[in-house]
Amino acid sequence: MNKGFGVTVTVPQPDGQEPKTAPLVVVARDERDAELVAALAAGPQASAETLRELTDEEVLAYDLDLQAHGSAKVLPILNL
């Protein structure tokens, strides 16, 4: 069964610039799967870290479809 997870994804930048980090919510089977989904969505050099599993209320608030494994939404700010 899929669950919702809060994840941060970090993408390295060219020329030694500071990496960019963004918060996402993703639909995945477990924490490791959530990290893989987020990293794949952000590109080949990205890394991801799962912050926590979302509550049922948060899944509804972010309008996540738990049947849609691999879906991800970028958040404007980290609010997990």
Side-chain angles (χ1 to χ4, degrees):
M1 176 175 189
N2 293 322
K3 302 173 185 175
F5 293 92
V7 179
T8 58
V9 68
T10 302
V11 180
Q13 299 299 299
D15 301 325
Q17 295 177 26
E18 193 70 27
K20 299 220 183 229
T21 301
L24 287 92
V25 288
V26 301
V27 176
R29 291 182 297 275
D30 56 33
E31 290 183 4
R32 180 67 184 133
D33 188 38
E35 292 170 357
L36 292 172
V37 167
L40 286 172
Q45 300 299 318
S47 62
E49 179 181 356
T50 301
L51 299 174
R52 65 178 173 82
E53 184 178 335
L54 301 178
T55 64
D56 292 339
E57 292 81 16
E58 289 170 320
V59 168
L60 290 172
Y62 291 121
D63 195 29
L64 295 177
D65 177 1
L66 295 182
Q67 300 303 313
H69 176 268
S71 63
K73 294 183 179 184
V74 177
L75 302 177
I77 60 170
L78 183 60
N79 189 20
L80 297 173

